[in-house]
Amino acid sequence: MSDTTTDEQPPQQPPQAPDTGATVVEPGATGRFWSTRRRPSAVAALVLLAASVLLLSDLAAVRAGRSATAARRSLARELSQRPLDDVWVLVGAGVAAALGLWLLILALTPGVRGILPMRRTNPEIRAGLDRKAASMVLRDRAMEVPGVQSARVKVGRRKADVRAVAHFRELEEVGADLRARLEEAVRGLGLSRPPSLAVRVRRPERKKG
């Protein structure tokens, strides 16, 4: 009898993509940048500090046996004598309500409208693109389209408004080429929420006279 040896090959595994260590985050997962709002916070803190110092100093003076300040006596007299439907009472209440509403809006809105969030390839790193810089990039791409004489681009958070002037070629052809070029340029910006394009092409205005 002869011994037969069979070499069994292990099943081949499908090739795997190299691990680059980067975690791709879906475009919709990146939120807007929130403003630190140093100035409104500083103004509110200074106003509250000044009012607290005046009130505490007046209370300390009364506790020490001195009379209250004339402003405090006048305020107490006015509050006790003026009715609620008085013009000045209503004006003061309106001003206080407006300031409170302003502070609530500042607290609940993100601000920083000039920065567009970009896609995140690393969960620990956030990047943003200035809207003016994005407008300049799209304008440069628009000027590369044959037939475009001038272009103005304004990039917002949700829409990019493009107005171009074509001095030759058909307007439909220029508009189609311009839209295709700008759609590619918008994808190249790497924004988490790419703005939609609004493209308008017209002829240059004729000089009068």
Side-chain angles (χ1 to χ4, degrees):
M1 296 180 62
S2 61
D3 295 336
T4 303
T5 304
T6 304
D7 295 334
E8 296 183 357
Q9 297 282 345
Q12 294 183 354
Q13 299 292 333
Q16 298 181 355
D19 187 6
T20 59
T23 303
V24 178
V25 184
E26 294 297 329
T30 303
R32 291 176 57 188
F33 289 87
W34 281 75
S35 173
T36 54
R37 292 192 172 92
R38 295 184 178 89
R39 293 181 181 178
S41 301
V43 171
L46 290 176
V47 171
L48 291 176
L49 178 61
S52 301
V53 169
L54 291 176
L55 180 61
L56 290 177
S57 61
D58 191 28
L59 291 177
V62 173
R63 290 284 184 174
R66 301 177 183 177
S67 60
T69 60
R72 182 181 177 186
R73 293 196 301 268
S74 176
L75 179 61
R77 184 174 61 255
E78 292 292 337
L79 292 177
S80 62
Q81 295 178 358
R82 287 184 179 272
L84 295 178
D85 58 351
D86 185 77
V87 176
W88 290 108
V89 174
L90 296 177
V91 170
V95 171
L99 291 175
L101 180 61
W102 177 58
L103 292 177
L104 285 176
I105 292 175
L106 291 178
L108 298 176
T109 54
V112 194
R113 299 178 61 87
I115 303 296
L116 300 174
M118 303 180 68
R119 288 193 300 266
R120 300 178 68 176
T121 57
N122 190 316
E124 298 180 357
I125 299 177
R126 292 192 65 191
L129 180 63
D130 186 77
R131 285 167 53 181
K132 294 182 179 180
S135 301
M136 293 178 61
V137 171
L138 296 184
R139 179 187 176 276
D140 293 341
R141 295 296 179 269
M143 294 299 297
E144 297 175 357
V145 176
V148 175
Q149 182 180 18
S150 63
R152 290 189 302 172
V153 181
K154 183 178 181 181
V155 178
R157 292 194 301 112
R158 299 181 180 179
K159 186 177 70 172
D161 189 10
V162 182
R163 298 185 180 184
V165 176
H167 59 296
F168 69 91
R169 298 180 65 196
E170 294 294 333
L171 295 181
E172 291 77 8
E173 296 179 2
V174 176
D177 292 347
L178 184 60
R179 178 174 291 275
R181 180 68 61 88
L182 292 180
E183 287 178 351
E184 181 182 358
V186 168
R187 290 192 296 268
L189 294 177
L191 301 177
S192 62
R193 294 179 177 88
S196 60
L197 287 174
V199 180
R200 302 176 186 177
V201 183
R202 62 177 179 85
R203 292 297 184 192
E205 297 180 358
R206 295 182 179 179
K207 296 182 180 180
K208 296 181 180 181

